[in-house]
Amino acid sequence: RQPPRDSSVDPALAAALAILLQPFVETIAEQLRKKDGGASASADAVRQAYVAAYSSPTVEALIGRLHQYLPDVQGELVRQAYALGVIAHSGQFRQSGEPYIDHPVAVATILLELRLDAESVAAALLHDVVEDTGVSLEVIKQFFGDSVAHLVDGVTKLSGLE
């Protein structure tokens, strides 16, 4: 299913929002309801969190760093990966108490310091999504392409060796 076409909506944003029609959005909301012990988390709340993350200061900073050495690269892939990472890891915390998304952002920041491409940065933001959430590798492939899916799958397999 595709979101309704509205000529006033930016085509890049419309494509990005198509991911919110996937069944995993309800799975994430269900996981949050189980953690909260209540019905406060809805699929609509998950969708709103995606939209908020889509243009958050954190993702703007990541894209800004990417543009320092790849000025012509569209930041859309990184933007969408960050927003998906935020909603997929909603309600998850590290042992330190920090939100789980801080870890993928830290990995992405290291890759930006190493001047890697947008696909690698997107994969860093998504590297635990398949393993730890209701988002499948097929969803990653569908919305982020073969290259990002291959990188995410490789990291998932590596973590299975531990």
Side-chain angles (χ1 to χ4, degrees):
R1 292 179 16 202
Q2 292 292 321
R5 293 282 177 204
D6 177 347
S7 60
S8 65
V9 174
D10 176 15
L13 178 59
L17 296 179
I19 199 168
L20 297 178
L21 299 174
Q22 296 296 308
F24 73 81
V25 171
E26 183 55 49
T27 302
I28 291 169
E30 186 177 316
Q31 290 169 348
L32 288 170
R33 284 191 295 270
K34 286 178 184 175
K35 286 181 182 173
D36 291 342
S40 62
S42 67
D44 284 341
V46 172
R47 289 182 185 101
Q48 289 171 357
Y50 179 95
V51 171
Y54 189 80
S55 59
S56 74
T58 300
V59 77
E60 296 300 336
L62 292 170
I63 293 168
R65 292 197 61 184
L66 181 67
H67 284 161
Q68 287 176 357
Y69 61 92
L70 293 174
D72 296 331
V73 168
Q74 294 294 321
E76 223 34 53
L77 189 67
V78 172
R79 183 180 305 283
Q80 291 175 25
Y82 175 76
L84 178 56
V86 165
I87 65 168
H89 291 299
S90 293
Q92 294 180 347
F93 295 90
R94 312 252 323 148
Q95 286 182 342
S96 65
E98 294 175 276
Y100 195 87
I101 192 63
D102 290 358
H103 167 68
V105 169
V107 173
T109 300
I110 291 167
L111 297 186
L112 287 164
E113 289 170 3
L114 296 171
R115 302 172 70 94
L116 270 67
D117 61 9
E119 288 82 6
S120 298
V121 175
L125 292 166
L126 297 169
H127 79 270
D128 282 334
V129 166
V130 172
E131 190 173 29
D132 296 341
T133 74
V135 180
S136 71
L137 189 59
E138 284 306 309
V139 168
I140 302 297
K141 187 175 186 178
Q142 178 183 353
F143 288 95
F144 297 94
D146 290 336
S147 178
V148 172
H150 182 72
L151 290 168
V152 169
D153 189 39
V155 171
T156 301
K157 288 176 180 171
L158 282 174
S159 64
L161 295 175
E162 292 177 10

